[in-house]
Amino acid sequence: MTDQIKNDEIDLLDLFRRMGRGITNFFKAIWKGLLYSLIFLLKNWLPLLISIIAGVALSYLLKYTLGPTYRSELILRTNAASSSEMVGYMNRLHLWTLEKNYTALSEALSVDINEISKLKDVKAVFMIDLNKDDIPEMADYKGVYNPKDTTVALITDQIAVRVETADNKLFPLIKEGLLRYVNSDSLLQRRNRVRLQHYREISGRIDYDISQLDSLQKVKYFEETRNRMPAAGGQIVFLQEQKTQLLYEDIFNLYTRKQSYESQQVLYNDIVTVLKDFAIPDKPVTRMLYYGIYVIPASVIIALIILLIRRFGRSLKDIYHSI
């Protein structure tokens, strides 16, 4: 029994030694890999520097070859359709910009084709409520919204429209064209007329209900006053206590609803309402850095691949033939 315990202790010590050697070898391998990588980079500093310079030069070439791109955003409130319907309707323009169908864009926006040819993109996206407080926090340009995520909600009556052009003076013209494009749709026009008619009918009914409650209020007040009249002997007899003040709360709630419907008819009487206009940018987004963050790393990676192939090409060839 004692020998078995000693053997177990020896096996356990050997296990710890092996684990210790394994961890030590692991860190040694990492250190050796970092050291070899550093030496490799230092030995090949000139080709890598040339690749960086080539990436910078290519970034400048792309900047001046492709021309400037100005970007701005328009926030719209959708009054006669849901945000999902309006995003789909607006993104017809996005498809035409991808196809470079300037004839269709010119007809849809009622903008001269010479001006519309400077339009690079029109993209409509949803507005997202990240905190479920009915306040939009961001526009979903990256498509991060997931319907299964219960912590995030879509704003159902707002959308964002991002426009990219080669001329920053084109944004006011594009804005007017977008509004004409939406307001010219016959189905949206009919839906908006029905919506406004619905609000007018409800407002009329609320006015009637307010007048009825006001009349009832006066009748109740008259009855209560009469019930408090002095009876024989100069005594006031209260037949029943009336809670007249309860009607004021009902009347106030009706007035609040009426104001809400009137604001819809006055402030949001169009198919869409501009909540945030285009901000005219002074500088394009396509500066050297815009291309450089992609081009320069790609140039360095290509240079590293070529250097590694030159360094280990024979070994790779031997491995290939041995398979």
Side-chain angles (χ1 to χ4, degrees), residues 102-134:
Y102 297 122
T103 302
L105 287 169
S106 177
E107 293 176 355
L109 301 179
S110 301
V111 177
D112 185 77
I113 195 167
N114 294 322
E115 296 291 340
I116 212 67
S117 61
K118 302 175 186 177
L119 181 64
K120 295 189 174 183
D121 192 23
V122 178
K123 187 175 183 180
V125 297
F126 298 106
M127 298 296 292
I128 296 181
D129 176 14
L130 298 177
N131 302 317
K132 285 202 168 181
D133 53 3
D134 293 329

Side-chain angles (χ1 to χ4, degrees), residues 96-211:
W96 291 335
T97 56
L98 293 178
E99 297 174 347
K100 298 188 182 300
N101 190 348
Y102 297 122
T103 302
L105 287 169
S106 177
E107 293 176 355
L109 301 179
S110 301
V111 177
D112 185 77
I113 195 167
N114 294 322
E115 296 291 340
I116 212 67
S117 61
K118 302 175 186 177
L119 181 64
K120 295 189 174 183
D121 192 23
V122 178
K123 187 175 183 180
V125 297
F126 298 106
M127 298 296 292
I128 296 181
D129 176 14
L130 298 177
N131 302 317
K132 285 202 168 181
D133 53 3
D134 293 329
I135 299 175
E137 276 80 26
M138 62 176 288
D140 191 21
Y141 292 113
K142 296 182 179 180
V144 298
Y145 172 70
N146 183 2
K148 296 180 181 179
D149 188 355
T150 57
T151 63
V152 178
L154 289 181
I155 302 296
T156 58
D157 61 351
Q158 292 185 31
I159 65 170
V161 182
R162 186 175 66 187
V163 172
E164 296 180 353
T165 72
D167 186 358
N168 62 346
K169 297 178 182 178
L170 197 62
F171 285 105
L173 198 62
I174 296 299
K175 171 197 168 185
E176 297 301 324
L178 289 173
L179 294 179
R180 281 194 296 268
Y181 172 65
V182 173
N183 291 326
S184 63
D185 186 84
S186 59
L187 176 60
L188 292 177
Q189 289 176 359
R190 291 195 296 271
R191 291 173 65 173
N192 194 50
R193 286 195 294 268
V194 170
R195 178 181 69 94
L196 295 177
Q197 179 64 30
H198 175 69
Y199 288 149
R200 284 192 290 268
E201 291 175 357
I202 293 179
S203 297
R205 177 65 195 188
I206 289 176
D207 286 335
Y208 174 77
D209 291 341
I210 289 174
S211 64

Side-chain angles (χ1 to χ4, degrees), residues 6-41:
K6 288 182 179 180
N7 290 333
D8 292 340
E9 291 177 353
I10 292 171
D11 292 340
L12 189 58
L13 289 173
D14 184 60
L15 176 62
F16 281 121
R17 289 194 192 98
R18 289 175 181 270
M19 290 176 60
R21 285 196 297 269
I23 293 172
T24 303
N25 292 334
F26 173 74
F27 283 107
K28 283 183 179 180
I30 292 177
W31 169 250
K32 190 178 293 185
L34 291 174
L35 186 61
Y36 286 165
S37 300
L38 180 61
I39 294 172
F40 177 80
L41 294 175

Side-chain angles (χ1 to χ4, degrees), residues 234-287:
Q235 295 179 347
I236 297 177
V237 180
F238 295 94
L239 299 179
Q240 184 178 1
E241 184 178 356
Q242 302 291 333
K243 296 183 179 180
T244 308
Q245 297 297 328
L246 292 178
L247 292 180
Y248 286 120
E249 183 177 353
D250 296 330
I251 295 173
F252 176 78
N253 290 335
L254 287 175
Y255 269 114
T256 302
R257 289 180 58 193
K258 179 184 176 183
Q259 290 173 353
S260 174
Y261 291 126
E262 287 178 345
S263 68
Q264 291 286 338
Q265 298 176 66
V266 176
L267 299 178
Y268 308 117
N269 58 342
D270 293 325
I271 297 173
V272 294
T273 303
V274 177
L275 299 181
K276 176 189 171 186
D277 203 347
F278 286 123
I280 309 300
D282 293 328
K283 297 180 180 180
V285 294
T286 52
R287 287 174 280 182

Side-chain angles (χ1 to χ4, degrees), residues 3 64-65 154 167:
D3 293 337
Y64 290 109
T65 302
L154 289 181
D167 186 358

